[in-house]
Amino acid sequence: MTAPLHHAGFFGFDVFGTVVDWRSGVARAARPFLQRYGIGVDPFAFADQWRALYQPAMEQVRTGARPWVRLDVLQRENLELLLARHGADVATLAEDELADLNRAWERLDPWPDAVAGLTRIRRRFPIGTVSNSHVAGMVQLARFGGLAWDAILGAEMAHDYKPQPQVYLKSADVAGVPPHRFVLVAAHNGDLRAARACGLRTVFVPRPLEHGPGQDTDLEAEDDWDLVAGDFLELADLLGCP
């Protein structure tokens, strides 16, 4: 184990993109909905477009332009906006089907290495989320994907969204460890930069298919993070986890 992580007290994981494949899961859920209502858009393009509304919606909260709301509220607003852009009369769509599609973010498959890697890391360190998602959504996602977290940390307890410092610092505080003993594992260099600025340790694990086969961002480490691993199984090896 590298020296900076030898005395780590907690490993926190970004979830969407780092632990789970959001794009495939959202496209899978969207496909029958789009077909049923005759909305002519490719399900993967729909997933990408929905995700593209994610950061602008959170920015409204981060800047104080609107009060704190949970991510499921933002996602539902974004879903209705996107459907309207594709010509759907949202008022005529079945509420139960809209609500179910919005819960697609709670039914996302882990990357192939994720469950086994997390299981090994958890044998040696406490692990949890550091996600922009709400707690209930993370609970359902964990149950769906078999993710055995010790704690669900992140945006809801801080009433703000990454990369705001309080999300990282509040997560470390609730985990009961100082920032320098809290490790963020993420597939996004920007997330790691923000965490490092708060004094957290950092691990980069690339997910080159997060945004599909044409992805051109976050393909490699862009800074000297404390550790870089090809996937969670390699990370477990590097950490000496049985």
Side-chain angles (χ1 to χ4, degrees), residues 13-20 111-114 184-189 192 202-211 215-223 225 227-235 238:
F13 291 77
D14 170 70
V15 178
F16 295 136
T18 301
V19 178
V20 299
W111 294 110
D113 58 279
L184 180 70
V185 182
H188 311 117
N189 285 279
L192 295 176
T202 52
V203 173
F204 179 75
V205 177
R207 296 299 188 189
L209 295 177
E210 176 188 356
H211 295 281
Q215 180 169 324
D216 59 4
T217 59
D218 290 315
L219 297 177
E220 59 185 21
E222 297 173 1
D223 210 332
W225 309 123
L227 207 57
V228 176
D231 60 22
F232 287 179
L233 294 172
E234 183 180 346
L235 177 56
L238 292 171

mmCIF file of all heavy atoms in Angstrom, residues 13-20 111-114 184-189 192 202-211 215-223 225 227-235 238:
data_model
loop_
_atom_site.group_PDB
_atom_site.id
_atom_site.type_symbol
_atom_site.label_atom_id
_atom_site.label_comp_id
_atom_site.label_asym_id
_atom_site.label_seq_id
_atom_site.Cartn_x
_atom_site.Cartn_y
_atom_site.Cartn_z
ATOM 1 N N PHE A 13 -16.815 6.463 -2.245
ATOM 2 C CA PHE A 13 -16.859 6.248 -3.684
ATOM 3 C C PHE A 13 -17.898 7.144 -4.347
ATOM 4 O O PHE A 13 -19.067 7.165 -3.919
ATOM 5 C CB PHE A 13 -17.204 4.789 -3.992
ATOM 6 C CG PHE A 13 -16.117 3.815 -3.639
ATOM 7 C CD1 PHE A 13 -15.899 3.444 -2.315
ATOM 8 C CD2 PHE A 13 -15.308 3.279 -4.632
ATOM 9 C CE1 PHE A 13 -14.891 2.547 -1.981
ATOM 10 C CE2 PHE A 13 -14.292 2.379 -4.308
ATOM 11 C CZ PHE A 13 -14.083 2.016 -2.984
ATOM 12 N N ASP A 14 -17.463 7.876 -5.375
ATOM 13 C CA ASP A 14 -18.436 8.424 -6.296
ATOM 14 C C ASP A 14 -19.198 7.242 -6.877
ATOM 15 O O ASP A 14 -18.636 6.156 -7.045
ATOM 16 C CB ASP A 14 -17.725 9.204 -7.403
ATOM 17 C CG ASP A 14 -18.668 9.586 -8.516
ATOM 18 O OD1 ASP A 14 -19.536 10.445 -8.285
ATOM 19 O OD2 ASP A 14 -18.545 9.004 -9.620
ATOM 20 N N VAL A 15 -20.475 7.421 -7.202
ATOM 21 C CA VAL A 15 -21.287 6.267 -7.599
ATOM 22 C C VAL A 15 -21.639 6.278 -9.075
ATOM 23 O O VAL A 15 -21.296 5.347 -9.818
ATOM 24 C CB VAL A 15 -22.559 6.168 -6.729
ATOM 25 C CG1 VAL A 15 -23.420 4.986 -7.176
ATOM 26 C CG2 VAL A 15 -22.173 6.008 -5.258
ATOM 27 N N PHE A 16 -22.342 7.310 -9.555
ATOM 28 C CA PHE A 16 -22.778 7.332 -10.947
ATOM 29 C C PHE A 16 -21.565 7.443 -11.867
ATOM 30 O O PHE A 16 -20.878 8.455 -11.891
ATOM 31 C CB PHE A 16 -23.729 8.500 -11.210
ATOM 32 C CG PHE A 16 -25.040 8.409 -10.470
ATOM 33 C CD1 PHE A 16 -25.564 9.522 -9.849
ATOM 34 C CD2 PHE A 16 -25.741 7.215 -10.393
ATOM 35 C CE1 PHE A 16 -26.778 9.459 -9.174
ATOM 36 C CE2 PHE A 16 -26.949 7.139 -9.718
ATOM 37 C CZ PHE A 16 -27.472 8.266 -9.108
ATOM 38 N N GLY A 17 -21.298 6.392 -12.609
ATOM 39 C CA GLY A 17 -20.159 6.373 -13.510
ATOM 40 C C GLY A 17 -18.958 5.664 -12.940
ATOM 41 O O GLY A 17 -18.256 4.961 -13.659
ATOM 42 N N THR A 18 -18.707 5.817 -11.651
ATOM 43 C CA THR A 18 -17.562 5.166 -11.020
ATOM 44 C C THR A 18 -17.903 3.759 -10.570
ATOM 45 O O THR A 18 -17.135 2.812 -10.794
ATOM 46 C CB THR A 18 -17.057 5.999 -9.829
ATOM 47 O OG1 THR A 18 -16.681 7.308 -10.279
ATOM 48 C CG2 THR A 18 -15.852 5.338 -9.167
ATOM 49 N N VAL A 19 -19.045 3.590 -9.925
ATOM 50 C CA VAL A 19 -19.462 2.281 -9.423
ATOM 51 C C VAL A 19 -20.472 1.627 -10.358
ATOM 52 O O VAL A 19 -20.437 0.414 -10.580
ATOM 53 C CB VAL A 19 -20.051 2.401 -8.002
ATOM 54 C CG1 VAL A 19 -20.535 1.041 -7.486
ATOM 55 C CG2 VAL A 19 -19.022 2.988 -7.037
ATOM 56 N N VAL A 20 -21.382 2.404 -10.887
ATOM 57 C CA VAL A 20 -22.449 1.849 -11.725
ATOM 58 C C VAL A 20 -22.445 2.482 -13.113
ATOM 59 O O VAL A 20 -22.013 3.620 -13.308
ATOM 60 C CB VAL A 20 -23.842 2.034 -11.080
ATOM 61 C CG1 VAL A 20 -23.911 1.311 -9.741
ATOM 62 C CG2 VAL A 20 -24.180 3.513 -10.907
ATOM 63 N N TRP A 111 -20.526 -1.832 -12.566
ATOM 64 C CA TRP A 111 -19.516 -2.300 -13.511
ATOM 65 C C TRP A 111 -19.087 -3.708 -13.114
ATOM 66 O O TRP A 111 -19.167 -4.078 -11.926
ATOM 67 C CB TRP A 111 -18.316 -1.358 -13.512
ATOM 68 C CG TRP A 111 -18.610 0.020 -14.029
ATOM 69 C CD1 TRP A 111 -18.647 1.178 -13.298
ATOM 70 C CD2 TRP A 111 -18.901 0.410 -15.384
ATOM 71 N NE1 TRP A 111 -18.943 2.257 -14.098
ATOM 72 C CE2 TRP A 111 -19.109 1.817 -15.389
ATOM 73 C CE3 TRP A 111 -19.012 -0.289 -16.587
ATOM 74 C CZ2 TRP A 111 -19.411 2.524 -16.552
ATOM 75 C CZ3 TRP A 111 -19.318 0.419 -17.753
ATOM 76 C CH2 TRP A 111 -19.509 1.801 -17.729
ATOM 77 N N PRO A 112 -18.631 -4.521 -14.064
ATOM 78 C CA PRO A 112 -18.359 -5.935 -13.778
ATOM 79 C C PRO A 112 -17.421 -6.195 -12.605
ATOM 80 O O PRO A 112 -17.546 -7.216 -11.925
ATOM 81 C CB PRO A 112 -17.759 -6.446 -15.101
ATOM 82 C CG PRO A 112 -18.374 -5.573 -16.150
ATOM 83 C CD PRO A 112 -18.484 -4.211 -15.503
ATOM 84 N N ASP A 113 -16.486 -5.300 -12.359
ATOM 85 C CA ASP A 113 -15.521 -5.489 -11.278
ATOM 86 C C ASP A 113 -15.985 -4.907 -9.944
ATOM 87 O O ASP A 113 -15.340 -5.118 -8.910
ATOM 88 C CB ASP A 113 -14.196 -4.809 -11.639
ATOM 89 C CG ASP A 113 -14.405 -3.315 -11.898
ATOM 90 O OD1 ASP A 113 -14.837 -2.955 -13.008
ATOM 91 O OD2 ASP A 113 -14.175 -2.501 -10.982
ATOM 92 N N ALA A 114 -17.093 -4.170 -9.949
ATOM 93 C CA ALA A 114 -17.420 -3.317 -8.804
ATOM 94 C C ALA A 114 -17.772 -4.100 -7.552
ATOM 95 O O ALA A 114 -17.218 -3.841 -6.470
ATOM 96 C CB ALA A 114 -18.552 -2.356 -9.167
ATOM 97 N N LEU A 184 -11.329 9.587 -1.412
ATOM 98 C CA LEU A 184 -12.367 9.585 -2.440
ATOM 99 C C LEU A 184 -11.868 8.779 -3.629
ATOM 100 O O LEU A 184 -10.778 9.025 -4.149
ATOM 101 C CB LEU A 184 -12.703 11.002 -2.898
ATOM 102 C CG LEU A 184 -13.786 11.043 -3.984
ATOM 103 C CD1 LEU A 184 -15.152 10.650 -3.420
ATOM 104 C CD2 LEU A 184 -13.861 12.406 -4.656
ATOM 105 N N VAL A 185 -12.701 7.842 -4.069
ATOM 106 C CA VAL A 185 -12.425 7.052 -5.264
ATOM 107 C C VAL A 185 -13.410 7.506 -6.338
ATOM 108 O O VAL A 185 -14.625 7.482 -6.119
ATOM 109 C CB VAL A 185 -12.593 5.545 -5.006
ATOM 110 C CG1 VAL A 185 -12.256 4.747 -6.258
ATOM 111 C CG2 VAL A 185 -11.734 5.093 -3.826
ATOM 112 N N ALA A 186 -12.883 7.929 -7.483
ATOM 113 C CA ALA A 186 -13.768 8.461 -8.519
ATOM 114 C C ALA A 186 -13.163 8.249 -9.900
ATOM 115 O O ALA A 186 -11.931 8.133 -10.055
ATOM 116 C CB ALA A 186 -14.039 9.950 -8.297
ATOM 117 N N ALA A 187 -14.035 8.226 -10.892
ATOM 118 C CA ALA A 187 -13.626 8.125 -12.291
ATOM 119 C C ALA A 187 -13.579 9.491 -12.954
ATOM 120 O O ALA A 187 -13.434 9.568 -14.174
ATOM 121 C CB ALA A 187 -14.594 7.213 -13.045
ATOM 122 N N HIS A 188 -13.692 10.543 -12.156
ATOM 123 C CA HIS A 188 -13.779 11.904 -12.690
ATOM 124 C C HIS A 188 -12.690 12.767 -12.058
ATOM 125 O O HIS A 188 -12.677 12.976 -10.840
ATOM 126 C CB HIS A 188 -15.161 12.489 -12.394
ATOM 127 C CG HIS A 188 -16.279 11.554 -12.772
ATOM 128 N ND1 HIS A 188 -17.144 11.038 -11.844
ATOM 129 C CD2 HIS A 188 -16.628 11.017 -13.968
ATOM 130 C CE1 HIS A 188 -17.997 10.239 -12.454
ATOM 131 N NE2 HIS A 188 -17.708 10.203 -13.742
ATOM 132 N N ASN A 189 -11.788 13.251 -12.895
ATOM 133 C CA ASN A 189 -10.680 14.050 -12.384
ATOM 134 C C ASN A 189 -11.156 15.300 -11.658
ATOM 135 O O ASN A 189 -10.565 15.701 -10.645
ATOM 136 C CB ASN A 189 -9.759 14.441 -13.550
ATOM 137 C CG ASN A 189 -8.906 13.285 -14.036
ATOM 138 O OD1 ASN A 189 -7.881 12.968 -13.449
ATOM 139 N ND2 ASN A 189 -9.313 12.650 -15.142
ATOM 140 N N LEU A 192 -12.100 14.557 -8.098
ATOM 141 C CA LEU A 192 -10.906 14.346 -7.282
ATOM 142 C C LEU A 192 -10.189 15.658 -6.977
ATOM 143 O O LEU A 192 -9.671 15.842 -5.874
ATOM 144 C CB LEU A 192 -9.965 13.371 -7.985
ATOM 145 C CG LEU A 192 -10.505 11.944 -8.163
ATOM 146 C CD1 LEU A 192 -9.532 11.101 -8.960
ATOM 147 C CD2 LEU A 192 -10.781 11.297 -6.808
ATOM 148 N N THR A 202 -6.988 10.771 -2.646
ATOM 149 C CA THR A 202 -7.665 10.590 -3.919
ATOM 150 C C THR A 202 -7.192 9.336 -4.649
ATOM 151 O O THR A 202 -5.999 9.027 -4.671
ATOM 152 C CB THR A 202 -7.408 11.804 -4.828
ATOM 153 O OG1 THR A 202 -5.998 12.048 -4.894
ATOM 154 C CG2 THR A 202 -8.118 13.047 -4.300
ATOM 155 N N VAL A 203 -8.162 8.642 -5.271
ATOM 156 C CA VAL A 203 -7.873 7.471 -6.104
ATOM 157 C C VAL A 203 -8.657 7.620 -7.399
ATOM 158 O O VAL A 203 -9.879 7.834 -7.375
ATOM 159 C CB VAL A 203 -8.269 6.157 -5.403
ATOM 160 C CG1 VAL A 203 -8.121 4.981 -6.369
ATOM 161 C CG2 VAL A 203 -7.440 5.928 -4.154
ATOM 162 N N PHE A 204 -7.952 7.481 -8.524
ATOM 163 C CA PHE A 204 -8.601 7.552 -9.835
ATOM 164 C C PHE A 204 -8.747 6.145 -10.405
ATOM 165 O O PHE A 204 -7.787 5.375 -10.461
ATOM 166 C CB PHE A 204 -7.774 8.401 -10.794
ATOM 167 C CG PHE A 204 -8.359 8.498 -12.178
ATOM 168 C CD1 PHE A 204 -9.463 9.295 -12.422
ATOM 169 C CD2 PHE A 204 -7.806 7.778 -13.234
ATOM 170 C CE1 PHE A 204 -10.014 9.383 -13.702
ATOM 171 C CE2 PHE A 204 -8.342 7.870 -14.510
ATOM 172 C CZ PHE A 204 -9.452 8.671 -14.751
ATOM 173 N N VAL A 205 -9.973 5.811 -10.804
ATOM 174 C CA VAL A 205 -10.260 4.557 -11.498
ATOM 175 C C VAL A 205 -10.992 4.914 -12.785
ATOM 176 O O VAL A 205 -12.135 5.382 -12.732
ATOM 177 C CB VAL A 205 -11.117 3.611 -10.632
ATOM 178 C CG1 VAL A 205 -11.468 2.346 -11.404
ATOM 179 C CG2 VAL A 205 -10.398 3.258 -9.331
ATOM 180 N N PRO A 206 -10.377 4.747 -13.938
ATOM 181 C CA PRO A 206 -11.031 5.169 -15.187
ATOM 182 C C PRO A 206 -12.224 4.280 -15.540
ATOM 183 O O PRO A 206 -12.208 3.073 -15.297
ATOM 184 C CB PRO A 206 -9.917 5.027 -16.229
ATOM 185 C CG PRO A 206 -9.006 3.976 -15.668
ATOM 186 C CD PRO A 206 -9.044 4.166 -14.176
ATOM 187 N N ARG A 207 -13.234 4.900 -16.099
ATOM 188 C CA ARG A 207 -14.383 4.173 -16.648
ATOM 189 C C ARG A 207 -14.569 4.679 -18.079
ATOM 190 O O ARG A 207 -15.409 5.532 -18.352
ATOM 191 C CB ARG A 207 -15.636 4.422 -15.804
ATOM 192 C CG ARG A 207 -15.554 3.910 -14.372
ATOM 193 C CD ARG A 207 -15.361 2.405 -14.319
ATOM 194 N NE ARG A 207 -15.474 1.880 -12.952
ATOM 195 C CZ ARG A 207 -15.176 0.630 -12.603
ATOM 196 N NH1 ARG A 207 -14.717 -0.221 -13.524
ATOM 197 N NH2 ARG A 207 -15.325 0.222 -11.361
ATOM 198 N N PRO A 208 -13.790 4.142 -19.017
ATOM 199 C CA PRO A 208 -13.741 4.704 -20.371
ATOM 200 C C PRO A 208 -15.011 4.522 -21.189
ATOM 201 O O PRO A 208 -15.119 5.110 -22.277
ATOM 202 C CB PRO A 208 -12.566 3.958 -21.015
ATOM 203 C CG PRO A 208 -12.439 2.690 -20.234
ATOM 204 C CD PRO A 208 -12.823 3.047 -18.834
ATOM 205 N N LEU A 209 -15.970 3.763 -20.690
ATOM 206 C CA LEU A 209 -17.236 3.589 -21.403
ATOM 207 C C LEU A 209 -18.403 4.270 -20.691
ATOM 208 O O LEU A 209 -19.559 4.060 -21.069
ATOM 209 C CB LEU A 209 -17.536 2.098 -21.586
ATOM 210 C CG LEU A 209 -16.554 1.325 -22.471
ATOM 211 C CD1 LEU A 209 -16.931 -0.146 -22.516
ATOM 212 C CD2 LEU A 209 -16.506 1.913 -23.882
ATOM 213 N N GLU A 210 -18.124 5.072 -19.668
ATOM 214 C CA GLU A 210 -19.220 5.720 -18.940
ATOM 215 C C GLU A 210 -20.142 6.467 -19.886
ATOM 216 O O GLU A 210 -21.370 6.388 -19.775
ATOM 217 C CB GLU A 210 -18.678 6.684 -17.879
ATOM 218 C CG GLU A 210 -19.793 7.431 -17.173
ATOM 219 C CD GLU A 210 -19.329 8.542 -16.239
ATOM 220 O OE1 GLU A 210 -18.108 8.716 -16.062
ATOM 221 O OE2 GLU A 210 -20.208 9.229 -15.677
ATOM 222 N N HIS A 211 -19.572 7.208 -20.811
ATOM 223 C CA HIS A 211 -20.366 8.016 -21.741
ATOM 224 C C HIS A 211 -20.502 7.345 -23.106
ATOM 225 O O HIS A 211 -20.860 8.007 -24.085
ATOM 226 C CB HIS A 211 -19.748 9.405 -21.887
ATOM 227 C CG HIS A 211 -19.778 10.203 -20.614
ATOM 228 N ND1 HIS A 211 -20.909 10.854 -20.170
ATOM 229 C CD2 HIS A 211 -18.817 10.422 -19.675
ATOM 230 C CE1 HIS A 211 -20.645 11.457 -19.010
ATOM 231 N NE2 HIS A 211 -19.392 11.212 -18.700
ATOM 232 N N GLN A 215 -16.462 8.198 -25.799
ATOM 233 C CA GLN A 215 -16.028 9.036 -24.676
ATOM 234 C C GLN A 215 -14.636 9.602 -24.919
ATOM 235 O O GLN A 215 -13.722 8.882 -25.339
ATOM 236 C CB GLN A 215 -16.042 8.211 -23.387
ATOM 237 C CG GLN A 215 -15.601 8.986 -22.149
ATOM 238 C CD GLN A 215 -15.880 8.223 -20.864
ATOM 239 O OE1 GLN A 215 -16.877 7.524 -20.749
ATOM 240 N NE2 GLN A 215 -14.994 8.343 -19.892
ATOM 241 N N ASP A 216 -14.472 10.898 -24.617
ATOM 242 C CA ASP A 216 -13.168 11.536 -24.788
ATOM 243 C C ASP A 216 -12.738 12.303 -23.549
ATOM 244 O O ASP A 216 -11.812 13.109 -23.601
ATOM 245 C CB ASP A 216 -13.173 12.453 -26.012
ATOM 246 C CG ASP A 216 -14.222 13.568 -25.931
ATOM 247 O OD1 ASP A 216 -14.901 13.685 -24.882
ATOM 248 O OD2 ASP A 216 -14.361 14.326 -26.908
ATOM 249 N N THR A 217 -13.397 12.068 -22.433
ATOM 250 C CA THR A 217 -13.034 12.725 -21.171
ATOM 251 C C THR A 217 -12.721 11.684 -20.111
ATOM 252 O O THR A 217 -13.229 10.557 -20.155
ATOM 253 C CB THR A 217 -14.182 13.614 -20.660
ATOM 254 O OG1 THR A 217 -15.352 12.792 -20.463
ATOM 255 C CG2 THR A 217 -14.511 14.710 -21.658
ATOM 256 N N ASP A 218 -11.883 12.057 -19.171
ATOM 257 C CA ASP A 218 -11.546 11.205 -18.020
ATOM 258 C C ASP A 218 -11.075 9.822 -18.435
ATOM 259 O O ASP A 218 -11.348 8.818 -17.764
ATOM 260 C CB ASP A 218 -12.741 11.096 -17.064
ATOM 261 C CG ASP A 218 -13.033 12.394 -16.335
ATOM 262 O OD1 ASP A 218 -12.073 13.021 -15.844
ATOM 263 O OD2 ASP A 218 -14.203 12.787 -16.254
ATOM 264 N N LEU A 219 -10.337 9.754 -19.524
ATOM 265 C CA LEU A 219 -9.801 8.468 -19.979
ATOM 266 C C LEU A 219 -8.540 8.078 -19.222
ATOM 267 O O LEU A 219 -8.150 6.908 -19.220
ATOM 268 C CB LEU A 219 -9.509 8.530 -21.484
ATOM 269 C CG LEU A 219 -10.736 8.751 -22.379
ATOM 270 C CD1 LEU A 219 -10.316 8.875 -23.832
ATOM 271 C CD2 LEU A 219 -11.756 7.635 -22.200
ATOM 272 N N GLU A 220 -7.922 9.058 -18.579
ATOM 273 C CA GLU A 220 -6.711 8.782 -17.812
ATOM 274 C C GLU A 220 -6.575 9.793 -16.690
ATOM 275 O O GLU A 220 -7.259 10.826 -16.678
ATOM 276 C CB GLU A 220 -5.475 8.840 -18.709
ATOM 277 C CG GLU A 220 -5.278 10.164 -19.383
ATOM 278 C CD GLU A 220 -4.123 10.177 -20.369
ATOM 279 O OE1 GLU A 220 -3.722 9.100 -20.838
ATOM 280 O OE2 GLU A 220 -3.617 11.283 -20.651
ATOM 281 N N ALA A 221 -5.700 9.469 -15.748
ATOM 282 C CA ALA A 221 -5.448 10.385 -14.637
ATOM 283 C C ALA A 221 -4.810 11.663 -15.164
ATOM 284 O O ALA A 221 -3.870 11.609 -15.964
ATOM 285 C CB ALA A 221 -4.540 9.723 -13.618
ATOM 286 N N GLU A 222 -5.327 12.792 -14.699
ATOM 287 C CA GLU A 222 -4.816 14.083 -15.158
ATOM 288 C C GLU A 222 -3.996 14.803 -14.097
ATOM 289 O O GLU A 222 -3.598 15.948 -14.280
ATOM 290 C CB GLU A 222 -5.996 14.964 -15.599
ATOM 291 C CG GLU A 222 -6.756 14.389 -16.780
ATOM 292 C CD GLU A 222 -8.027 15.162 -17.107
ATOM 293 O OE1 GLU A 222 -8.295 16.166 -16.421
ATOM 294 O OE2 GLU A 222 -8.751 14.751 -18.039
ATOM 295 N N ASP A 223 -3.760 14.120 -12.992
ATOM 296 C CA ASP A 223 -2.963 14.695 -11.916
ATOM 297 C C ASP A 223 -2.281 13.553 -11.175
ATOM 298 O O ASP A 223 -2.541 12.379 -11.451
ATOM 299 C CB ASP A 223 -3.852 15.511 -10.965
ATOM 300 C CG ASP A 223 -3.106 16.663 -10.314
ATOM 301 O OD1 ASP A 223 -1.863 16.541 -10.145
ATOM 302 O OD2 ASP A 223 -3.740 17.667 -9.956
ATOM 303 N N TRP A 225 -2.655 11.749 -8.553
ATOM 304 C CA TRP A 225 -3.524 11.274 -7.477
ATOM 305 C C TRP A 225 -2.770 10.289 -6.597
ATOM 306 O O TRP A 225 -1.764 9.707 -7.018
ATOM 307 C CB TRP A 225 -4.774 10.636 -8.076
ATOM 308 C CG TRP A 225 -5.469 11.507 -9.082
ATOM 309 C CD1 TRP A 225 -5.754 11.212 -10.379
ATOM 310 C CD2 TRP A 225 -5.935 12.852 -8.878
ATOM 311 N NE1 TRP A 225 -6.363 12.274 -11.001
ATOM 312 C CE2 TRP A 225 -6.488 13.300 -10.103
ATOM 313 C CE3 TRP A 225 -5.935 13.723 -7.789
ATOM 314 C CZ2 TRP A 225 -7.036 14.566 -10.270
ATOM 315 C CZ3 TRP A 225 -6.483 14.993 -7.957
ATOM 316 C CH2 TRP A 225 -7.018 15.405 -9.168
ATOM 317 N N LEU A 227 -3.379 7.395 -5.802
ATOM 318 C CA LEU A 227 -3.332 6.056 -6.376
ATOM 319 C C LEU A 227 -4.154 6.067 -7.665
ATOM 320 O O LEU A 227 -5.164 6.782 -7.762
ATOM 321 C CB LEU A 227 -3.919 5.037 -5.394
ATOM 322 C CG LEU A 227 -3.438 3.593 -5.453
ATOM 323 C CD1 LEU A 227 -1.914 3.510 -5.269
ATOM 324 C CD2 LEU A 227 -4.123 2.781 -4.357
ATOM 325 N N VAL A 228 -3.714 5.293 -8.638
ATOM 326 C CA VAL A 228 -4.465 5.082 -9.875
ATOM 327 C C VAL A 228 -4.566 3.579 -10.084
ATOM 328 O O VAL A 228 -3.566 2.866 -10.005
ATOM 329 C CB VAL A 228 -3.766 5.738 -11.090
ATOM 330 C CG1 VAL A 228 -4.519 5.415 -12.384
ATOM 331 C CG2 VAL A 228 -3.662 7.244 -10.899
ATOM 332 N N ALA A 229 -5.786 3.112 -10.327
ATOM 333 C CA ALA A 229 -6.003 1.677 -10.525
ATOM 334 C C ALA A 229 -6.896 1.471 -11.735
ATOM 335 O O ALA A 229 -7.784 2.283 -12.017
ATOM 336 C CB ALA A 229 -6.647 1.051 -9.287
ATOM 337 N N GLY A 230 -6.681 0.369 -12.446
ATOM 338 C CA GLY A 230 -7.465 0.100 -13.635
ATOM 339 C C GLY A 230 -8.911 -0.218 -13.355
ATOM 340 O O GLY A 230 -9.792 0.095 -14.164
ATOM 341 N N ASP A 231 -9.179 -0.841 -12.222
ATOM 342 C CA ASP A 231 -10.547 -1.122 -11.794
ATOM 343 C C ASP A 231 -10.524 -1.401 -10.301
ATOM 344 O O ASP A 231 -9.476 -1.275 -9.649
ATOM 345 C CB ASP A 231 -11.177 -2.274 -12.587
ATOM 346 C CG ASP A 231 -10.411 -3.601 -12.458
ATOM 347 O OD1 ASP A 231 -9.666 -3.795 -11.476
ATOM 348 O OD2 ASP A 231 -10.581 -4.456 -13.344
ATOM 349 N N PHE A 232 -11.662 -1.791 -9.739
ATOM 350 C CA PHE A 232 -11.729 -1.977 -8.291
ATOM 351 C C PHE A 232 -10.972 -3.220 -7.833
ATOM 352 O O PHE A 232 -10.491 -3.275 -6.700
ATOM 353 C CB PHE A 232 -13.185 -2.079 -7.836
ATOM 354 C CG PHE A 232 -13.942 -0.773 -7.874
ATOM 355 C CD1 PHE A 232 -15.277 -0.733 -7.510
ATOM 356 C CD2 PHE A 232 -13.331 0.402 -8.260
ATOM 357 C CE1 PHE A 232 -15.989 0.454 -7.537
ATOM 358 C CE2 PHE A 232 -14.031 1.602 -8.294
ATOM 359 C CZ PHE A 232 -15.362 1.629 -7.934
ATOM 360 N N LEU A 233 -10.855 -4.214 -8.692
ATOM 361 C CA LEU A 233 -10.090 -5.405 -8.319
ATOM 362 C C LEU A 233 -8.602 -5.067 -8.221
ATOM 363 O O LEU A 233 -7.923 -5.508 -7.279
ATOM 364 C CB LEU A 233 -10.338 -6.514 -9.336
ATOM 365 C CG LEU A 233 -11.743 -7.071 -9.373
ATOM 366 C CD1 LEU A 233 -11.927 -8.026 -10.543
ATOM 367 C CD2 LEU A 233 -12.094 -7.775 -8.058
ATOM 368 N N GLU A 234 -8.121 -4.279 -9.163
ATOM 369 C CA GLU A 234 -6.726 -3.844 -9.078
ATOM 370 C C GLU A 234 -6.529 -2.937 -7.865
ATOM 371 O O GLU A 234 -5.493 -3.018 -7.188
ATOM 372 C CB GLU A 234 -6.307 -3.110 -10.350
ATOM 373 C CG GLU A 234 -4.840 -2.696 -10.321
ATOM 374 C CD GLU A 234 -4.391 -1.957 -11.568
ATOM 375 O OE1 GLU A 234 -5.123 -1.978 -12.577
ATOM 376 O OE2 GLU A 234 -3.301 -1.344 -11.522
ATOM 377 N N LEU A 235 -7.504 -2.099 -7.582
ATOM 378 C CA LEU A 235 -7.402 -1.252 -6.395
ATOM 379 C C LEU A 235 -7.319 -2.106 -5.129
ATOM 380 O O LEU A 235 -6.505 -1.829 -4.242
ATOM 381 C CB LEU A 235 -8.620 -0.318 -6.301
ATOM 382 C CG LEU A 235 -8.696 0.586 -5.079
ATOM 383 C CD1 LEU A 235 -7.455 1.458 -4.939
ATOM 384 C CD2 LEU A 235 -9.952 1.457 -5.135
ATOM 385 N N LEU A 238 -3.834 -3.390 -4.881
ATOM 386 C CA LEU A 238 -2.877 -2.349 -4.473
ATOM 387 C C LEU A 238 -2.993 -2.011 -3.001
ATOM 388 O O LEU A 238 -2.024 -1.612 -2.354
ATOM 389 C CB LEU A 238 -3.093 -1.099 -5.320
ATOM 390 C CG LEU A 238 -2.741 -1.219 -6.810
ATOM 391 C CD1 LEU A 238 -3.200 0.015 -7.585
ATOM 392 C CD2 LEU A 238 -1.243 -1.425 -6.991
#
